[in-house]
Amino acid sequence: MAKPTTKAEMLQAATEKYQELSGLIASMTERELATSFDFTKMKSKKEAHWSRDKNLRDVLIHLYEWHQLLLGWVAANQRGENKSFLPAPYNWRTYGEMNREIWSRHQNTTLEAARELLEQSHREVMALAETFSERELFEKDVFPWVGNAALAGYFASNMSSHYEWAIKKLKAHRKNCREY
């Protein structure tokens, strides 16, 4: 997937990847939904998330919670609060711990609730992205709270790129289910 360079491309990529993710989820069989994720036999799947997430709910909640990070970060900074993207005590070296805490916090969340939360947060993030101009999204140094980056990078990371991550994980799970 090419990196979006315009607002229209960014929104289109987010829409397309969300639709692809939604379609993949809708096509999952009862067996695929009921079978716990197990990527231990896939030697290339070494990152922590491959062992963290055990089912579709975990993946959807992960996406939802990262949407919440983005929404809260933008809203706080627009109100004049100096808020980091990642909540204390986490940083970009320790965000894996935050992801595990998110996972733990949502073990009693139902799959249906996770689906609804993600659907709502996707709409909210898309609506928020719409409020920014091309310049605000793609030029660096427009907002001091974004640092030496473009705001669009945060949106793309939390939408199309993150949806692509989820799609890859679900496809790997589907492949595992067929091999058992």
Side-chain angles (χ1 to χ4, degrees):
M1 174 173 52
K3 182 178 175 183
T5 58
T6 67
K7 180 178 175 177
E9 287 175 359
M10 182 187 77
L11 294 172
Q12 180 180 354
T15 298
E16 288 174 0
K17 287 299 172 186
Y18 187 77
Q19 288 172 345
E20 182 180 351
L21 175 61
S22 296
L24 178 58
I25 292 167
S27 73
M28 290 179 76
T29 66
E30 287 300 318
R31 180 170 181 254
E32 291 166 343
L33 291 169
T35 303
S36 292
F37 292 0
D38 180 3
F39 302 107
T40 56
K41 294 179 182 163
M42 301 176 93
K43 300 301 180 206
S44 64
K45 312 297 186 207
K46 295 179 182 176
E47 296 93 345
H49 71 88
W50 290 103
S51 61
R52 179 193 66 225
D53 299 326
K54 304 297 183 199
N55 52 48
L56 176 59
R57 184 237 12 241
D58 293 345
V59 172
L60 301 182
I61 282 298
H62 178 85
L63 297 172
Y64 162 76
E65 287 287 352
W66 277 79
H67 283 167
Q68 296 309 299
L69 289 173
L70 178 63
L71 293 165
W73 175 65
V74 171
N77 282 288
Q78 285 182 319
R79 289 189 306 266
E81 298 173 27
N82 185 13
K83 182 177 181 178
S84 297
F85 183 82
L86 296 176
Y90 304 108
N91 59 48
W92 290 110
R93 287 184 306 279
T94 63
Y95 73 94
E97 295 169 26
M98 180 192 72
N99 285 334
R100 285 189 295 280
E101 191 274 323
I102 289 168
W103 178 89
S104 179
R105 189 172 63 227
H106 282 281
Q107 289 307 291
N108 291 322
T109 301
T110 66
L111 174 57
E112 188 55 38
R115 285 180 182 189
E116 291 170 8
L117 289 168
L118 179 59
E119 185 178 318
Q120 178 63 32
S121 67
H122 170 74
R123 285 194 304 265
E124 291 172 2
V125 171
M126 291 290 286
L128 179 60
E130 287 279 5
T131 69
F132 291 100
S133 69
E134 195 90 18
R135 179 180 167 279
E136 290 170 325
L137 286 167
F138 287 92
E139 289 184 19
K140 295 179 181 181
D141 302 322
V142 174
F143 300 110
W145 42 274
V146 179
N148 191 27
L151 185 57
Y154 285 88
F155 278 98
S157 293
N158 282 279
M159 292 190 306
S160 57
S161 295
H162 229 166
Y163 301 155
E164 182 66 30
W165 164 85
I167 290 163
K168 286 178 184 175
K169 181 171 272 196
L170 295 179
K171 284 181 176 179
H173 171 63
R174 177 171 270 176
K175 180 180 178 192
N176 273 348
C177 286
R178 289 185 184 136
E179 292 176 359
Y180 289 137

